[in-house]
Amino acid sequence: KSRDLSGAGIYHVMMRGTNRQDIFEDGDDYLRFLGILRNMVYPVNDTGKPLPQRCHFYAYCLMTNHIHLLVREAEDKLAPAIHRIATAYAHYYNNKYVRFGHLFQDRFKSEPVNDQGYFFTLLRYIHQNPMAAGLSKGIDDYEWSSWKEYENYRIGLQDICTVKHVTARMSIDELRDFVSDPLPKKLRSEERFSRNAETD
């Protein structure tokens, strides 16, 4: 099935370990994956010359066996961008743990994001994933999500995510209150996302 396309080029993407296996074993694994995302935002060629940004990220959350990304296409379209990320991390993981074969499920899931209301709902959903899984009590208690980048934006720091796109529409204080407000259980359930297991 062909993917539903976003007129804005923005998608909610979920990548899951094959057979739901863990894809992060220790802190170095999480850091390596974040490094790969950073290289998508600030790519360089073999001589170190900056290249056009491959994609933009608005949110991410790295869970033990799956990943959520809120991403907008740039130099790369969606499928090449996600394949680039998955291939780089799988190469690292397989070498480190001396394993072979696919690390991620063959098809990543994607949902088009075509309106601002849904965009902000996804910001809540992604950052609340650790809370829903019982891994944190609040959005700022989990180490491997992008919420810390939103907090750091207060003091002028920016890393992987394009925070200014969001804060142009809602202040950081308003955003914190909004993202911290628990979503209904039926919206937190990943079953609502499974209907979009579309092919690349």
Side-chain angles (χ1 to χ4, degrees):
K1 180 183 176 183
S2 298
R3 293 186 182 277
D4 292 335
L5 299 180
S6 165
I10 301 175
Y11 296 87
H12 175 203
V13 169
M14 189 172 77
M15 306 162 65
R16 186 184 294 280
T18 188
N19 297 321
R20 296 177 180 259
Q21 76 166 71
D22 288 351
I23 53 179
F24 301 107
E25 306 289 344
D26 59 27
D28 288 342
D29 295 346
Y30 289 100
L31 291 173
R32 174 56 69 100
F33 193 89
L34 293 180
I36 292 168
L37 296 187
R38 193 173 293 109
N39 289 338
M40 297 293 289
V41 177
Y42 308 107
V44 295
N45 64 14
D46 293 339
T47 66
K49 181 181 178 180
L51 297 173
Q53 191 166 343
R54 298 193 185 281
C55 58
H56 303 270
F57 298 101
Y58 300 115
Y60 60 79
C61 186
L62 313 185
M63 303 291 282
T64 306
N65 68 355
H66 68 280
I67 298 155
H68 289 275
L69 303 172
L70 187 55
V71 57
R72 178 163 64 87
E73 297 172 325
E75 187 71 10
D76 286 359
K77 292 298 185 182
L78 181 67
I82 301 304
H83 281 304
R84 191 187 298 272
I85 293 167
T87 299
Y89 184 73
H91 180 74
Y92 155 81
Y93 187 95
N94 286 351
N95 282 341
K96 179 177 178 179
Y97 296 106
V98 193
R99 68 180 297 277
F100 301 91
H102 294 291
L103 177 61
F104 295 101
Q105 285 185 181
D106 289 341
R107 295 184 294 180
F108 66 89
K109 299 177 181 179
S110 68
E111 280 185 323
V113 182
N114 287 311
D115 64 78
Q116 183 170 290
Y118 188 46
F119 179 92
F120 278 96
T121 296
L122 286 169
L123 276 179
R124 291 170 71 189
Y125 174 77
I126 289 171
H127 288 120
Q128 287 184 22
N129 240 243
M131 297 165 59
L135 299 177
S136 69
K137 294 182 178 179
I139 58 173
D140 51 2
D141 293 338
Y142 189 69
E143 186 174 4
W144 308 113
S145 84
S146 52
W147 183 253
K148 62 184 179 296
E149 296 193 22
Y150 282 84
E151 292 289 359
N152 287 340
Y153 192 70
R154 293 173 181 268
I155 56 176
L157 299 178
Q158 188 168 339
D159 194 9
I160 294 169
C161 290
T162 308
V163 176
K164 63 182 180 181
H165 173 91
V166 181
T167 57
R169 291 156 177 79
M170 188 181 293
S171 73
I172 288 288
D173 290 327
E174 291 173 320
L175 187 65
R176 166 178 272 282
D177 291 341
F178 177 78
V179 173
S180 297
D181 186 25
L183 284 165
K185 288 184 178 180
K186 67 177 181 179
L187 289 179
R188 291 205 312 261
S189 170
E190 289 185 6
E191 289 302 314
R192 62 172 281 281
F193 195 78
S194 63
R195 59 189 170 86
N196 286 287
E198 297 157 339
T199 60
D200 296 345

